Amino acid sequence: MNTGGEGSDLHLALQVVLVLFGWAGLVAVAVCLFRTLWEFLGRGVHAVWRSLGPWQAGRLDPRLTGAVGTEPAELSYWWRQMWADAASAGRDGMRMLWRAFSDPWLDRTVRNLFRGRRPGGRWVRVPLGRFLLATLIAPGTAAGALAGAVLATVLLGWALLVFALLLGGVWLGWAAGVPLLRAVERGWALLRGLRAACPHPGCYAPVPLAVHRCPGCPARHAELRPGRYGALWHVCGCGRRLPATRLTGRGRLSALCPHCEQVLPPAVATTRVVHTPLVGGTSSGKTMLMAAMVEGLHAWAREGHLRVEYATVADRGSHTGVNQQLNRTGWAHATTGGPPRALMLTVARGRRRRLLYLYDPMGESMSEAERVRTQRYLAHTDGIVLVADVLADPAVRSRLGPADSERAERARPSAQGPRTTYERLTGELAALTGRRRRLPVAAVVTKRDVLDQLTSLPVPGDGRIDDWLGDIGLGALVRALGHDFGAARYWAVSAHAATGTGPLESEQRRAAEPVLWLLAASGLRTGPLTGRAGGGTGRVPRPGRRPDTSRKGGYTPV
């Protein structure tokens, strides 16, 4: 009987324990489903949301790294900060969830229940009530709080995982957009033949990407393109947003050469550059011819055939200074001072526009092959203007009579004839550019006003200048130009009649024809303005684009 009684007591105890566990389980389920799960999940989500801030403008965020390295710009949010924010938000959400589990639930609610107190801490006076709270309510509440915390952690973890996957998709889209934007910019530049180069003496370096100045501070940005600092826009250290592509307006910012840090013309970012050096000996008339060419372009602009502007204020001042000298003395000073700075003009016809670089080097720079080799701007050449002072050629001078020789001396002939200049140039040009056979050359016979007065030589007239050069003994030069260059054409110009006081507009337009012919080789539709006189190949060179590397304007008077 004693054994049976002990078995009954044990069975009864087990039933009581199971009932208590079952009751605790019901309480735990109720507490979990109807309170703690949603409370903990809500607090975690709220913490995640707050951590993604700050949502108030102007508040500091310690997670921001600011400018990195030498570039005075903030890293793009999508480059790295996005992951820092997501990690800190997820960490704060989980921390807040378990903090809510420990306090108030474990440290206050469950502890008070086990002590026979109400969840808020009020003392229960009835002993049976305290017993029931400690045995029937407290265990289930503790288990429900723990289950709610675990389930909330799982749900919040899944939500954060989905959020991370979405962020990864956004990051992949942004990361793919950066090379795509760069490729679009590169392709657009290749299609338009954009090949920027520094115009300043001693530099002449290619400029694949200029240094841009921030309009709001002195900062200089050398990486203003799609990249880790932003795809379409960069944010300067001063807080100003800067366009990072041509599509968003980067060309409107002030640009500097990354090599010599001198200012580049604004049009260099959006307009194809045509590099045109004037090559000739000392006193061959290069400077006066260049002045006549510029005046001729303005003459065509006045008739409405072109739109011409100076690229910078310095270019306007440079040309104005030459004009003042010509007006005072009738002659231009010989070019001095080392490597030349390009005179830059924007020339437009129809919807197309070109940035013209005109180089006027010293005549001495073409006197020796070694000096020619130092003229690094020749590496960018799109076409040559060979300035031919035929009065400097010994074969031509030997045919002049005494009176004509005196006239020739008064015309200040060059110390170097055109054949010698060409021989110094041609070999080094091939080495510098590697494409001499594809370049056009415009051979311009200068000092035509003097040549028309000579009786010992035939008059150039309006016929074929290449035939006339052959008649006076320079046929070898004509044959060499035709053989060594892709296209050649000839003009005879009186720069003296096109500049100074009382210039002839017809002679100005004639002086501009060689430049217009070379511009036509770049795709600008100026071929119809070059006329038919002069001789040579008689055709406009086929437009071409070099693999490496808008309608705006209006005539501006001098």
Side-chain angles (χ1 to χ4, degrees):
M1 294 296 294
N2 292 334
T3 303
E6 291 178 359
S8 296
D9 293 342
L10 180 61
H11 182 69
L12 180 62
L14 289 174
Q15 287 182 337
V16 171
V17 170
L18 290 176
V19 169
L20 291 176
F21 270 103
W23 178 256
L26 291 176
V27 173
V29 170
V31 171
C32 174
L33 294 182
F34 296 103
R35 180 66 186 272
T36 58
L37 172 62
W38 311 112
E39 179 179 339
F40 295 157
L41 190 60
R43 290 198 178 192
V45 171
H46 182 67
V48 170
W49 178 254
R50 289 191 62 183
S51 296
L52 290 175
W55 301 105
Q56 181 179 352
R59 288 184 59 189
L60 296 178
D61 189 345
R63 295 168 300 188
L64 295 176
T65 57
V68 177
T70 58
E71 183 69 10
E74 298 176 2
L75 287 172
S76 170
Y77 181 80
W78 306 110
W79 173 257
R80 189 174 64 187
Q81 190 62 38
M82 172 185 71
W83 298 111
D85 287 354
S88 66
R91 185 171 57 251
D92 290 347
M94 291 297 182
R95 186 182 295 137
M96 179 58 68
L97 188 155
W98 285 97
R99 184 180 297 167
F101 168 70
S102 63
D103 184 18
W105 281 92
L106 286 185
D107 290 347
R108 284 185 287 171
T109 301
V110 174
R111 180 179 294 181
N112 287 333
L113 290 173
F114 274 114
R115 291 178 176 178
R117 297 174 182 268
R118 295 180 184 276
R122 286 185 59 190
W123 181 260
V124 178
R125 296 180 180 179
V126 180
L128 180 61
R130 293 197 296 271
F131 174 77
L132 292 176
L133 286 176
T135 57
L136 299 180
I137 304 300
T141 302
L146 178 60
V150 172
L151 287 177
T153 300
V154 172
L155 292 177
L156 184 60
W158 275 105
L160 291 175
L161 178 60
V162 173
F163 181 59
L165 292 175
L166 292 175
L167 286 181
V170 171
W171 186 88
L172 288 176
W174 178 86
V178 168
L180 179 62
L181 285 171
R182 286 194 183 187
V184 168
E185 278 213 315
R186 179 65 174 165
W188 183 76
L190 289 175
L191 287 175
R192 299 198 61 179
L194 299 181
R195 180 178 48 85
C198 180
H200 297 288
C203 185
Y204 309 122
V207 184
L209 180 65
V211 175
H212 294 85
R213 287 193 294 206
C214 175
C217 70
R220 298 182 177 186
H221 296 260
E223 292 291 332
L224 197 57
R225 60 178 176 176
R228 60 177 179 163
Y229 298 101
L232 295 174
W233 305 89
H234 290 190
V235 177
C236 180
C238 70
R240 192 181 186 96
R241 194 171 72 159
L242 304 176
T245 67
R246 291 186 177 97
L247 301 176
T248 52
R250 184 179 63 196
R252 293 193 294 268
L253 299 178
S254 177
L256 307 175
C257 173
H259 305 280
C260 66
E261 298 186 347
Q262 297 193 67
V263 178
L264 297 174
V268 76
T270 57
T271 309
R272 180 174 177 177
V273 181
V274 178
H275 300 263
T276 305
L278 280 70
V279 177
T282 304
S283 191
S284 60
K286 297 189 310 302
T287 304
M288 290 186 66
L289 176 62
M290 189 168 75
M293 287 176 168
V294 174
E295 292 299 320
L297 292 173
H298 287 301
W300 283 111
R302 284 191 291 271
E303 292 189 359
H305 296 287
L306 298 173
R307 299 188 304 279
V308 180
E309 287 184 339
Y310 295 102
T312 65
V313 176
D315 296 302
R316 178 190 294 274
S318 175
H319 181 67
T320 301
V322 174
N323 274 346
Q324 290 175 349
Q325 175 66 25
L326 290 171
N327 289 333
R328 286 196 305 269
T329 65
W331 296 93
H333 291 307
T335 305
T336 58
R341 178 191 180 276
L343 176 67
M344 296 172 286
L345 301 166
T346 56
V347 183
R349 181 171 168 83
R351 297 176 60 86
R352 300 185 182 184
R353 188 172 70 151
R354 296 291 181 265
L355 178 58
L356 178 63
Y357 281 23
L358 289 174
Y359 298 92
D360 178 21
M362 295 188 301
E364 292 85 350
S365 62
M366 299 296 163
S367 61
E368 298 177 5
E370 186 65 31
R371 290 188 175 184
V372 175
R373 205 170 297 129
T374 62
Q375 308 300 306
R376 289 185 292 170
Y377 57 87
L378 292 174
H380 309 299
T381 298
D382 294 290
I384 297 287
V385 176
L386 180 63
V387 182
D389 182 4
V390 298
L391 297 178
D393 187 82
V396 175
R397 292 290 296 272
S398 65
R399 300 179 57 177
L400 300 180
D404 287 344
S405 295
E406 185 179 346
R407 293 190 183 95
E409 286 297 330
R410 288 199 299 266
R412 303 178 184 179
S414 173
Q416 182 175 290
R419 285 189 295 188
T420 305
T421 301
Y422 172 74
E423 290 168 359
R424 299 283 187 271
L425 170 71
T426 180
E428 301 306 323
L429 184 62
L432 287 168
T433 66
R435 54 192 180 87
R436 185 189 65 194
R437 295 294 295 271
R438 300 198 302 272
L439 289 176
V441 58
V444 181
V445 177
T446 55
K447 306 178 182 179
R448 177 171 177 166
D449 52 322
V450 178
L451 294 172
D452 286 342
Q453 300 174 16
L454 302 180
T455 59
S456 306
L457 298 177
V459 176
D462 294 326
R464 295 179 62 93
I465 303 302
D466 52 344
D467 292 341
W468 176 80
L469 288 171
D471 292 341
I472 65 173
L474 293 175
L477 175 63
V478 174
R479 290 189 294 272
L481 291 175
H483 177 268
D484 292 338
F485 288 87
R489 192 165 172 185
Y490 303 82
W491 283 266
V493 173
S494 172
H496 190 270
T499 57
T501 57
L504 298 176
E505 192 161 301
S506 60
E507 197 65 21
Q508 289 177 341
R509 291 195 297 269
R510 184 199 296 268
E513 287 185 12
V515 175
L516 296 173
W517 184 72
L518 294 175
L519 286 172
S522 70
L524 193 65
R525 296 171 181 172
T526 52
L529 305 181
T530 61
R532 295 184 176 275
T537 59
R539 63 178 175 84
V540 174
R542 183 178 179 180
R545 301 189 187 276
R546 290 173 60 177
D548 182 30
T549 34
S550 352
R551 189 180 180 100
K552 187 177 179 181
Y555 171 69
T556 304
V558 179

